[in-house]
């Protein structure tokens, strides 16, 4: 046994803890984006403008479309619950889409000096990137 290989029980234990951590992050990501997407789909634009500000400068169809994309990607993050073989590629696609969307929104909010929303997107990236990288290895 070399210094880099773990005994089988320790390796299984680490894999189990990593799996639990990734599922926890996936659940938080899904809850956030389902809630955010649902709000963008159902709330009147005046409420969204009061809550977030940026919908005031975006067309309503774009805000609603973004809400739909958020809900679909959130469900994709949870798709391995149904079938790992089918769900894993959907998860990887959804996580990639979320990383791209979060990075773009982080940049947009930072350029517009909306630090609070930029910070939210930075935290979301900190949750989503480990899921994407961790599930690529699985």
């Amino acid at each position: 046994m070399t210094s880099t290989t773990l005994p089988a029980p320790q390796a299984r234990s680490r894999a189990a803890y990593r799996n639990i951590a990734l599922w926890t992050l996936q659940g938080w990501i899904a809850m956030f984006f389902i809630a955010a997407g649902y709000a963008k789909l159902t709330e009147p634009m005046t409420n969204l403008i009061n809550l977030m500000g940026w919908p005031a400068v975006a067309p309503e169809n774009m805000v609603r479309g973004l809400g739909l994309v958020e809900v679909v990607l959130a469900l994709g993050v949870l798709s391995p619950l149904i079938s790992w073989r089918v769900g894993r590629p959907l998860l990887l696609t959804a996580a990639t889409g979320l990383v791209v969307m979060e990075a773009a929104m982080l940049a947009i909010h930072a350029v517009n000096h909306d630090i609070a929303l930029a910070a939210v997107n930075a935290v979301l990236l900190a949750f989503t990137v480990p899921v994407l990288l961790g599930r690529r290895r699985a």
Side-chain angles (χ1 to χ4, degrees):
M1 179 170 77
T2 65
S3 62
T4 58
T5 45
L6 294 172
Q10 284 182 340
R12 281 193 305 273
S13 179
R14 281 193 182 182
Y17 284 129
R18 184 173 57 94
N19 190 42
I20 290 168
L22 290 172
W23 272 113
T24 301
L25 290 174
Q26 285 171 246
W28 287 343
I29 293 165
M31 284 188 302
F32 178 87
F33 281 105
I34 288 171
Y38 181 78
K40 289 178 185 86
L41 287 169
T42 61
E43 286 293 317
M45 285 299 287
T46 54
N47 288 359
L48 294 175
I49 291 167
N50 289 335
L51 287 171
M52 297 180 274
W54 67 264
V57 297
E60 182 175 353
N61 288 342
M62 183 183 124
V63 175
R64 305 296 184 198
L66 183 60
L68 181 62
V69 167
E70 288 175 341
V71 170
V72 168
L73 292 176
L75 294 174
V77 167
L78 296 177
S79 62
L81 287 171
I82 297 169
S83 163
W84 182 253
R85 190 174 57 85
V86 174
R88 183 172 174 266
L90 293 174
L91 161 65
L92 295 175
T93 303
T96 301
L98 286 172
V99 166
V100 168
M101 185 175 67
E102 292 161 4
M105 295 310 293
L106 173 62
I108 289 168
H109 292 312
V111 166
N112 290 325
H113 303 289
D114 192 351
I115 303 306
L117 290 176
V120 168
N121 281 280
V123 170
L124 290 169
L125 272 170
F127 284 8
T128 309
V129 169
V131 168
L132 177 60
L133 297 177
R135 292 302 187 197
R136 280 181 36 189
R137 289 191 280 153

